Amino acid sequence: GLQDQVVSVYYDSDAMITKGITSVVADCFTGLSLEDAKLLTKSDFEQLGIKELLSAQRRNGLGSLIDTISKRIQTL
């Protein structure tokens, strides 16, 4: 969502690991100005070190999640 040009990302999942990963990614976008949120890329998330802790399938899911959120933010 967007309020006063500040991004808020809402999420939910039944799976605890997925919910935790989504929480971290959503928190990275939430609170940023729309302009700053549009500048975030997948490579910015590499600094968090999450990728190294995940299975190949979850790494793919993480990339897809970041892509999905980024695409939605671009349309705001």
Side-chain angles (χ1 to χ4, degrees), residues 8-32:
S8 294
V9 177
Y10 303 98
Y11 60 92
D12 195 17
S13 175
D14 291 334
M16 292 303 289
I17 292 174
T18 304
K19 193 173 200 167
I21 294 166
T22 304
S23 172
V24 170
V25 173
D27 286 350
C28 289
F29 283 99
T30 298
L32 293 179

Side-chain angles (χ1 to χ4, degrees), residues 6-62:
V6 175
V7 173
S8 294
V9 177
Y10 303 98
Y11 60 92
D12 195 17
S13 175
D14 291 334
M16 292 303 289
I17 292 174
T18 304
K19 193 173 200 167
I21 294 166
T22 304
S23 172
V24 170
V25 173
D27 286 350
C28 289
F29 283 99
T30 298
L32 293 179
S33 68
L34 179 58
E35 183 178 308
D36 287 343
K38 286 183 176 185
L39 296 175
L40 279 183
T41 65
K42 279 193 263 190
S43 63
D44 294 320
F45 288 86
E46 291 177 10
Q47 298 173 38
L48 298 175
I50 299 172
K51 191 174 173 182
E52 293 76 19
L53 302 173
L54 302 175
S55 66
Q57 183 177 0
R58 288 211 168 97
R59 281 192 301 269
N60 290 337
L62 173 63

